[in-house]
Amino acid sequence: MDNDSSTSLPFEDEYKGYEIYVEPNPDKYSEGFSWSISKNDECLDSGLEFDIKMAIDAAHNAINVLENASH
C-alpha cells in the first residue's frame, strides 16, 4: 500500500464546494481507505481504495462527474 505519511488521517478537504472525507477502512480485517463526498450534510458518493492518494483522486473524480452532470 502506498500511504503518504505526510497525509494525516482522517483527511478532510473541500473541493469545488464539496466536502471530502478519507479514513482508514472501518473493516479491521481489510486494508484500504474509505472515502466519501458530501454537500449540505448529504453523502453523495463513497468508495474504497487501496491507498490514500487513490482515495483522494477517486473523490475528486466523483465530484467532477457530479459537476459535469449538473451542467
Side-chain angles (χ1 to χ4, degrees):
M1 231 186 308
D2 179 19
N3 298 322
D4 183 358
S5 61
S6 68
T7 304
S8 61
L9 293 172
F11 174 83
E12 297 181 59
D13 195 20
E14 186 174 320
Y15 177 70
K16 295 185 176 182
Y18 295 82
E19 292 98 32
I20 297 173
Y21 184 77
V22 177
E23 65 181 347
N25 185 353
D27 178 356
K28 65 181 179 180
Y29 299 107
S30 299
E31 295 183 3
F33 296 86
S34 173
W35 62 267
S36 64
I37 57 172
S38 61
K39 191 169 188 175
N40 301 324
D41 295 324
E42 179 183 353
C43 183
L44 301 172
D45 203 352
S46 63
L48 184 65
E49 296 294 337
F50 291 110
D51 68 45
I52 298 166
K53 183 179 181 334
M54 289 174 67
I56 295 168
D57 289 346
H60 285 168
N61 289 339
I63 291 169
N64 290 334
V65 168
L66 287 171
E67 285 286 295
N68 289 337
S70 69
H71 290 118

